[in-house]
Amino acid sequence: MIKKITAIALVLAVVVCCFAACGFTPDKKIIGSWKDSTGVVGIEFKEGGVVKITGNGSAISSLLSKVSIDTEGTYAVSKDENKQYHLVININVVIAVKLEYIITDVSKDVLTLKAVDSDKTITFVKAVAAPSTSAPAAETTAA
């Protein structure tokens, strides 16, 4: 009987560890389209580490002040020794630009980043896709 209880406890411990290891990390939560709180820049994180940025670059970095951006690049999320998640974005806007942020909050609707070089905090909200306009218009009938 003790062997059965030990075996069951061991199996449960392995299952719990597997679920804990497969947690929902920020690199998965950021996937999708976001707009900054001022509405001047949009950022889209895609599977495979691809990022697309459009709008006024000053909203995401002082390096890009007064620069209009419409570019794709790469991104990576990593965890440091302090258990903080870092987001590194690499884009080319005339020159190669590397932007690094600490992810301070990420939820279903809000992404908050703190720039490593300036301590500037940027808040993004999840962009809502526009409803499809391909549906046929409802017919009206005269009575």
Side-chain angles (χ1 to χ4, degrees):
M1 184 68 171
I2 298 286
K3 286 184 180 183
K4 275 188 177 182
I5 292 172
T6 303
I8 291 171
L10 184 58
V11 168
L12 288 174
V14 169
V15 169
V16 168
C17 288
C18 287
F19 280 114
C22 297
F24 203 57
T25 57
D27 57 330
K28 301 293 183 206
K29 286 184 174 183
I30 66 172
I31 301 291
S33 297
W34 303 86
K35 286 273 189 192
D36 78 310
S37 59
T38 63
V40 298
V41 69
I43 190 164
E44 180 182 3
F45 296 101
K46 301 176 184 179
E47 293 279 348
V50 175
V51 64
K52 181 173 181 167
I53 303 173
T54 58
N56 187 322
S58 64
I60 58 172
S61 174
S62 58
L63 292 173
L64 303 171
S65 63
K66 299 180 185 174
V67 175
S68 182
I69 299 174
D70 187 4
T71 188
E72 281 195 3
T74 60
Y75 76 91
V77 176
S78 62
K79 192 177 193 180
D80 69 13
E81 64 278 353
N82 296 322
K83 299 185 180 179
Q84 291 181 318
Y85 285 94
H86 287 251
L87 170 66
V88 176
I89 298 173
N90 292 294
I91 56 174
N92 283 308
V93 184
V94 181
I95 60 168
V97 177
K98 178 181 177 181
L99 306 170
E100 186 173 357
Y101 304 96
I102 296 171
I103 300 173
T104 58
D105 182 32
V106 60
S107 66
K108 185 175 83 171
D109 300 323
V110 176
L111 170 63
T112 306
L113 305 174
K114 181 177 152 191
V116 171
D117 64 346
S118 68
D119 285 339
K120 177 182 178 180
T121 299
I122 310 161
T123 300
F124 292 90
V125 293
K126 194 74 155 188
V128 179
S132 174
T133 58
S134 62
E139 289 185 34
T140 58
T141 57

